[in-house]
Amino acid sequence: SYELTQPLSVSVALGQTARITCGGNNIGRKNVHWYQQKPGQAPVLVIYRDNNRPSGIPERFSGSNSGNTATLTISRAQDGDEADYYCQVWDSSTVAFGGGTKLTVL
Amino acid sequence: EVQLVQSGAEVKKPGESLKISCKGSGYSFTTYWIGWVRQMPGKGLEWMGLIYPGDSDSTYSPSFQGQVTISADKSISTAYLQWSSLKASDTAMYYCARHNSGYYIDSWGQGTLVTVSS
């Protein structure tokens, strides 16, 4: 099965830029999607196909994907961005999720 | 508006069977794959499998193949996840999830908490 590696935690100062990585073998050749999950809530899609934002997701959220690393970037971080973030790909007819990254806004 | 509404929380004993449901509305139920995702307490997301309600074609994660059954009744726009014999380790939140053609999840149910305890 395809493995996706995320850091357990990332911290960012209020108003600064957070970057959450997702590593995988030649992940740059795949479409990567990102989800945000706040405590007690279902996940929400924030980026699809590497760098596309669904309707209603702020422009502060962006994504990139190249080589062996995909990155979710959150600009001007706010308290409301504090959450768990998961990357996801489709591989060999199955969905693979990364282990998740807890974003803390200081 | 796309909505996935799941059945309520369940408390079961080990060895019991269970079937939970997910009703879709606001879109053509038969033309989107519906999947299930497990989240054990304090842990990450685990994809279990999915089904295409139009023809009931399904695929499972190797980790869940043979452990659960995913089905759908297109006449009532409802997908199901079932167990024949629950274990304590099945205690988790289960989400149903609509998969877009790009194989990402664009809509989630609210989750069904399953607790298995003697």
Side-chain angles (χ1 to χ4, degrees):
Chain A
S1 60
Y2 190 80
E3 290 202 4
L4 294 171
T5 302
Q6 297 184 235
L8 282 176
S9 62
V10 168
S11 298
V12 61
L14 186 68
Q16 296 305 300
T17 297
R19 293 179 179 83
I20 298 172
T21 58
C22 176
N25 186 37
N26 289 319
I27 196 173
R29 297 181 182 180
K30 299 183 181 298
N31 289 315
V32 179
H33 321 294
W34 291 90
Y35 304 90
Q36 175 194 69
Q37 186 180 32
K38 296 181 179 179
Q41 297 184 19
V44 172
L45 179 71
V46 293
I47 292 289
Y48 64 97
R49 292 187 190 133
D50 297 341
N51 56 14
N52 294 278
R53 279 177 294 103
S55 172
I57 300 301
E59 291 183 11
R60 301 184 297 103
F61 287 79
S62 62
S64 62
N65 184 19
S66 179
N68 293 316
T69 304
T71 303
L72 172 68
T73 301
I74 305 171
S75 304
R76 303 182 299 283
Q78 302 177 358
D79 287 337
D81 299 333
E82 197 160 276
D84 294 327
Y85 291 84
Y86 297 90
C87 58
Q88 178 247 307
V89 301
W90 176 259
D91 179 78
S92 301
S93 301
T94 64
V95 165
F97 285 109
T101 298
K102 182 175 181 57
L103 177 68
T104 300
V105 179
L106 303 173
Chain B
E1 178 196 5
V2 174
Q3 280 197 314
L4 298 174
V5 178
Q6 299 184 228
S7 49
E10 302 274 1
V11 179
K12 291 288 190 178
K13 291 181 167 38
E16 291 186 332
S17 63
L18 176 64
K19 191 174 189 177
I20 62 175
S21 66
C22 168
K23 183 173 177 61
S25 63
Y27 72 100
S28 175
F29 186 74
T30 56
T31 59
Y32 285 83
W33 291 81
I34 286 278
W36 291 91
V37 176
R38 183 176 79 174
Q39 188 166 39
M40 299 177 76
K43 302 298 184 182
L45 305 175
E46 300 174 272
W47 185 79
M48 303 175 74
L50 49 68
I51 189 165
Y52 190 75
D55 60 8
S56 291
D57 186 22
S58 61
T59 184
Y60 292 83
S61 161
S63 298
F64 292 94
Q65 180 81 49
Q67 307 304 307
V68 297
T69 301
I70 296 172
S71 60
D73 184 340
K74 62 184 179 182
S75 69
I76 55 172
S77 301
T78 300
Y80 302 96
L81 176 66
Q82 69 180 84
W83 296 259
S84 59
S85 180
L86 286 160
K87 302 184 284 287
S89 57
D90 292 317
T91 294
M93 182 70 81
Y94 293 88
Y95 294 100
C96 65
R98 191 182 84 160
H99 290 53
N100 191 280
S101 59
Y103 298 108
Y104 58 88
I105 297 168
D106 61 9
S107 187
W108 297 73
Q110 83 276 21
T112 295
L113 180 62
V114 174
T115 303
V116 184
S117 174
S118 54

